Amino acid sequence: MTLYYTLVFLLLVAEMTLFMFLIMPLPFAMRRKLFTFISENPVVAKVQYWLKITFVFILILFIDSVNRVYRVQVELAAAAENAGSSAPAIMGHERLEVQARKFYSQRNMYLCGFTLFLSLILNRTYIMILDVLRLEEKLKQYEGSDKNTKQAEKLAMAGDAGEISRLKREIELRDQDIVTLKKQASGLHREYDNLAEKYGRTQQDGSSKKDK
């Protein structure tokens, strides 16, 4: 198995481990802290970004493996037709080679396909668990049994992995822009005051000269 398919296999194992960790029955407080950490951690946001790029490459590998399986199937069908006609049939070692290429192509197709499918399942499972946690949080608030309001607010704002950290960075950048605009506005205001004073002085000098 080539290096990139080995990496795809390792990613599939990691997805299976993460899926088992998500469906593991944990206490509500621990699960709430875990999902809040996933939503706020900037490292998780970066990992999610690079995983999206990786899944694009896996999709390309999946399409390539499907194409290879199709070509091998066409080759086997042509060999079966030649076997029934006067054309020479495929020898034993050649047929074994074709069967081996078919096996490897199908293996790569299933590997990439299951990796992509499990990524969609993980995303949907994360969203469903997050919705369940929000409903449990609202139920505890209605019953008056939940006193951790900060964690409840963080959980209510949680969305995709790393979304809160991304929003915080956007808010910080906008705050920096606002501070920069305020400095520019204050500088322009000082320049305007200086120009107004100079203009007033020139007007006063001109009027005094006219009086003389």
Side-chain angles (χ1 to χ4, degrees), residues 139-198:
L139 181 60
K140 289 181 180 293
Q141 289 177 359
Y142 290 148
E143 292 177 351
S145 58
D146 189 14
K147 297 181 180 180
N148 198 348
T149 56
K150 291 184 177 180
Q151 291 292 334
E153 291 176 357
K154 291 181 179 180
L155 183 63
M157 292 187 299
D160 294 334
E163 183 179 357
I164 294 179
S165 62
R166 178 180 60 82
L167 293 175
K168 285 182 178 179
R169 287 198 301 272
E170 291 181 358
I171 292 173
E172 290 176 357
L173 291 175
R174 291 183 180 179
D175 290 339
Q176 292 177 0
D177 293 338
I178 292 172
V179 172
T180 304
L181 290 174
K182 286 182 179 179
K183 290 180 180 179
Q184 292 177 356
S186 62
L188 291 173
H189 186 68
R190 286 195 298 269
E191 290 292 333
Y192 177 78
D193 291 338
N194 293 331
L195 290 174
E197 289 179 359
K198 290 180 180 179

Side-chain angles (χ1 to χ4, degrees), residues 70-105:
Y70 175 74
R71 284 188 294 177
V72 172
Q73 291 288 353
V74 171
E75 188 175 348
L76 287 175
E81 291 179 358
N82 292 332
S85 61
S86 58
I90 298 180
M91 302 298 291
H93 65 280
E94 294 178 353
R95 185 173 181 85
L96 287 176
E97 182 183 356
V98 174
Q99 292 290 343
R101 285 195 288 116
K102 178 182 178 181
F103 168 75
Y104 291 135
S105 300

Side-chain angles (χ1 to χ4, degrees), residues 41-86:
N41 195 352
V43 178
V44 177
K46 293 181 180 179
V47 171
Q48 186 187 26
Y49 173 76
W50 287 107
L51 280 177
K52 289 180 180 179
I53 298 176
T54 305
F55 285 132
V56 173
F57 287 106
I58 294 176
L59 178 61
I60 295 173
L61 291 175
F62 176 72
I63 296 173
D64 179 69
S65 60
V66 171
N67 187 27
R68 290 177 183 272
V69 170
Y70 175 74
R71 284 188 294 177
V72 172
Q73 291 288 353
V74 171
E75 188 175 348
L76 287 175
E81 291 179 358
N82 292 332
S85 61
S86 58

Side-chain angles (χ1 to χ4, degrees), residues 4-45:
Y4 42 87
Y5 283 115
T6 304
L7 295 177
V8 173
F9 175 72
L10 293 176
L11 182 59
L12 178 62
V13 174
E15 286 180 343
M16 294 169 63
T17 305
L18 181 59
F19 181 76
M20 294 299 296
F21 185 71
L22 285 177
I23 64 175
M24 188 181 299
L26 297 174
F28 175 76
M30 186 181 299
R31 189 179 292 272
R32 180 172 61 182
K33 291 181 180 179
L34 174 64
F35 277 76
T36 304
F37 172 78
I38 292 174
S39 299
E40 291 183 343
N41 195 352
V43 178
V44 177

